[in-house]
Amino acid sequence: MTHPYIRFRIRLARHAVAQLAARLRSSAEIVMLVLGPAFIGLVAFAALPAMLAAAEPLPLALPLLCLHGIAMSVPVALLRSRVVPAHVRAWLYSLPVPPGLLLRASAAVATLLTAPLALAYAASLAIWLYQRPGWLAPPQAVTGTVLSFLLTWTCATFLLLRGAGLPQRERRAPLEAAAGTHPPASRTGWLTLWHRLFWLPLWRRNAAGARQCVLLAATAAAAALWMTGPQALPRAFVAVLTSVLLVLLAHEADQALRAQLARVRVLAAGWPVDVGALARRARAMALLAMTPAPAVLTGVGAAAHAWHGTAGHLYLALAWGMPPVLMLTPPFTARGRMALVAFAIMLLCATGSKLWD
């Protein structure tokens, strides 16, 4: 019989996943409508890095598989604050939960969160084992994928164990909590205000800053893989992946900025600060923070001689012009906003898939 504490932790995780799914439902509908058959290609790509790593000699394959397994646990790190919210975590600290029970509960929640990844790996393995390309060694491919998944599950268990079982140092209250009684001085520079009102809340309030860093790194890595990857790698699928990540990076930064702006406008109503000018500068700083992704894409593409012809010039213009468009366009409605995001993904995917033709 399952312990009540384990049932509670699993129910808490299911509630968090359901909340996240409800939030992303409209986005998923539009993205699925736009991507269509390309989604099958993305599923087939799920286990490809682990299979390619397993095909290398053992001294190189093991580090690559370890890096892949650790990297795939990053989404669990980003979801940890939702799976074990702060107010629930503070209550759990006072419970007399034995370490063994805490470990079993964390392992059960990690199994729940990594189950979709296991299904994606299984589908990807089935597709590649059916096609049997020349570079594929079936025993090594299956073993490497299983090893990578087990490492991801272990890292997820450790992250959830740290999040639910070990008390953390109390953080200083966010600046906006005391905003009504301690308004900023009029001589404070805009850069200091931006740092306190926009940069720090990305890391103190939620995982928005971490999500944007992960998206930025993933976009740069996908762009490098697209331009310099092996010949066996399907370039059209990596082009779709790079395009989707590039748009999601701009969309995530825009959503975080608009949410923080809504809070700042209320709190700064009585401050001697030009909130409109501060908002424009915050948008400029957000755009500046996103430039490494298209810059890496431009650099590796130039080294691979990809930016020639109409498709190359158009994709490069879209890659640099799409973030300002998303950041400066009014939000309209939620579905209208997602339609604009889907349209940007469709344009980039259609152009990028023709780049190497």
Side-chain angles (χ1 to χ4, degrees):
M1 184 177 178
T2 308
H3 195 277
Y5 177 76
I6 298 178
R7 292 202 302 269
F8 170 73
R9 290 286 305 279
I10 292 176
R11 186 173 300 176
L12 194 65
R14 285 176 176 171
H15 178 68
V17 172
Q19 279 188 326
L20 184 62
R23 178 185 173 187
L24 299 177
R25 183 173 301 167
S26 60
S27 308
E29 291 174 356
I30 296 176
V31 170
M32 286 295 297
L33 180 63
V34 172
L35 293 181
F39 180 75
I40 300 176
L42 294 176
V43 172
F45 181 76
L48 188 58
M51 291 189 291
L52 289 173
E56 299 293 333
L58 189 61
L60 179 60
L62 286 178
L64 290 176
L65 288 172
C66 290
L67 286 175
H68 181 257
I70 294 172
M72 295 307 293
S73 66
V74 171
V76 177
L78 300 180
L79 284 173
R80 187 173 62 174
S81 60
R82 291 178 175 271
V83 172
V84 189
H87 63 283
V88 176
R89 187 168 61 246
W91 174 70
L92 290 177
Y93 288 157
S94 62
L95 295 180
V97 181
L101 179 59
L102 184 63
L103 177 61
R104 293 198 302 272
S106 300
V109 176
T111 303
L112 175 67
L113 296 180
T114 56
L117 181 64
L119 294 176
Y121 280 173
S124 179
L125 276 173
I127 292 172
W128 288 103
L129 290 176
Y130 176 76
Q131 293 184 350
R132 291 291 181 95
W135 55 267
L136 181 67
Q140 289 88 336
V142 175
T143 304
T145 304
V146 171
L147 178 63
S148 175
F149 174 76
L150 288 178
L151 182 57
T152 300
W153 176 81
T154 303
C155 291
T157 302
F158 174 76
L159 289 169
L160 294 169
L161 184 65
R162 292 278 299 178
L166 297 179
Q168 299 176 354
R169 184 179 301 174
E170 289 295 326
R171 294 182 177 182
R172 187 177 61 182
L175 175 65
E176 52 268 33
T181 57
H182 299 282
S186 58
R187 64 179 179 273
T188 302
W190 72 267
L191 195 58
T192 302
L193 288 176
W194 168 82
H195 179 261
R196 293 178 180 177
L197 297 176
F198 293 95
W199 174 256
L200 292 180
L202 287 177
W203 307 96
R204 291 179 175 177
R205 293 183 60 87
N206 47 46
R211 285 198 302 270
Q212 292 180 39
C213 287
V214 170
L215 281 173
L216 182 62
T219 305
L225 187 64
W226 179 22
M227 296 299 171
T228 62
Q231 294 296 327
L233 191 67
R235 288 187 180 270
F237 295 146
V238 192
V240 170
L241 179 63
T242 304
S243 302
V244 171
L245 287 173
L246 192 62
V247 176
L248 289 181
L249 172 64
H251 177 62
E252 175 68 24
D254 177 71
Q255 290 292 96
L257 177 62
R258 291 181 191 274
Q260 185 62 17
L261 268 176
R263 290 188 285 266
V264 169
R265 290 185 191 279
V266 175
L267 296 170
W271 293 355
V273 173
D274 187 352
V275 181
L278 185 62
R280 291 191 294 270
R281 288 163 179 164
R283 286 194 179 92
M285 295 298 288
L287 287 172
L288 183 62
M290 284 187 288
T291 52
V296 169
L297 178 64
T298 303
V300 295
H305 306 287
W307 312 125
H308 58 82
T310 304
H313 296 158
L314 180 58
Y315 191 91
L316 202 57
L318 288 172
W320 282 98
M322 177 269 305
V325 169
L326 289 179
M327 294 287 291
L328 299 177
T329 304
F332 304 116
T333 63
R335 294 191 68 85
R337 183 68 184 176
M338 290 314 304
L340 178 61
V341 171
F343 182 67
I345 292 175
M346 182 181 64
L347 279 179
L348 283 171
C349 291
T351 309
S353 61
K354 298 294 183 181
L355 197 60
W356 296 98
D357 289 349

